Amino acid sequence: MNDIDHLNEVSAVSASLSRRRLLIAAGTLSLAGCASDSLSLLGASFSSGGGGGSGYPISDAQIAAIPYASIGVRIGSSAGVVMILASVDGANLHWASADRVVLITQRGRLVKTIGLPRDLLTTRFTEGDPLPLAVRGEAQADEARISRIIDLRPKDDFSVPVESRCAAIGMETVTIFGQPRSLLHLRERVVVRKWRWSTDNQFWVDPATGKVWKSRQQFCPDVPAITLEVLRPALEAA
């Protein structure tokens, strides 16, 4: 993807987001600045406003009143922000914040970002995402295999092989927005030999449906792990 395509996607998502002003109307996510400062801006927006019992800068009642699919997001150890579903492209869900930061997920997996200090431009699976296999209890190789190829920008780094292997930790009760859920905890061991870097991603999944309700994902060492939890599922969106 070139810079013009990247800017066009930001504009398209922004246009879609402008039709969904409820989050901004809540009055707690007004931001200023450019996309290159988005991580610090998100941190500022997390700490603004009164804050609700679920740890977000808008109240629980305001979150519950949002008529669109929504997720709670934390970057690193920061407090949380609420993002809403701006658009859907096949299996890709585009979640947007008021300052035009966009996170794109595919069945719970973070596959693209727009507006972070370093963006995940593309994710291309080579043998399919190992996450659904782990949910179904299908055996995986003892050693991690290259599961996907990723591209990043700035500090352009293209066609980076990512090795991963998922393992089931067990069932856990996870409370999301005040509601306890019995979810399967999966750990994905990620190794990027090109960077001499590794990390563990965490997913909490409904084993009956395969839906990821919560996750903690890191795609490169330059951006802290991103925690996502589903506040209102996309299928329930108006």
Side-chain angles (χ1 to χ4, degrees), residues 15-38:
S16 179
L17 180 61
S18 68
R19 296 190 293 270
R20 299 184 171 192
R21 304 303 294 177
L22 179 62
L23 196 58
I24 297 176
T28 59
L29 296 180
S30 298
L31 301 170
C34 61
S36 62
D37 298 322
S38 292

Side-chain angles (χ1 to χ4, degrees), residues 43-218:
S45 70
F46 291 159
S47 60
S48 64
S54 297
Y56 298 106
I58 58 179
S59 70
D60 290 357
Q62 287 172 316
I63 294 174
I66 296 174
Y68 307 113
S70 58
I71 58 173
V73 179
R74 292 177 174 83
I75 298 180
S77 59
S78 66
V81 68
V82 177
M83 303 179 77
I84 61 174
L85 184 63
S87 63
V88 178
D89 180 13
N92 290 341
L93 304 181
H94 296 234
W95 307 95
S97 72
D99 66 336
R100 301 183 181 182
V101 171
V102 180
L103 304 180
I104 300 173
T105 62
Q106 184 180 105
R107 300 179 182 88
R109 165 84 67 183
L110 185 64
V111 295
K112 186 173 183 177
T113 69
I114 300 173
L116 297 183
R118 196 172 193 204
D119 274 326
L120 176 62
L121 288 180
T122 59
T123 300
R124 303 183 297 279
F125 292 103
T126 57
E127 298 182 359
D129 191 340
L131 188 61
L133 297 178
V135 174
R136 294 195 296 266
E138 297 183 17
Q140 300 184 42
D142 290 337
E143 295 183 358
R145 296 181 178 180
I146 296 175
S147 66
R148 55 193 180 272
I149 306 294
I150 61 174
D151 302 322
L152 297 95
R153 178 170 289 176
K155 295 188 294 183
D156 293 359
D157 203 352
F158 301 120
S159 299
V160 179
V162 178
E163 300 178 12
S164 69
R165 182 180 186 276
C166 290
I169 304 301
M171 298 297 296
E172 297 178 0
T173 298
V174 179
T175 300
I176 300 174
F177 195 40
Q179 181 174 352
R181 296 181 181 275
S182 181
L183 303 174
L184 176 63
H185 181 188
L186 298 176
R187 180 179 62 219
E188 179 191 35
R189 183 62 176 171
V190 172
V191 177
V192 181
R193 298 187 186 277
K194 183 177 182 179
W195 301 334
R196 298 182 180 178
W197 176 75
S198 62
T199 191
D200 285 336
N201 289 335
Q202 313 287 336
F203 298 86
W204 287 267
V205 188
D206 184 335
T209 64
K211 181 173 184 58
V212 177
W213 282 93
K214 184 175 181 178
S215 66
R216 184 177 183 272
Q217 307 179 52
Q218 187 173 14

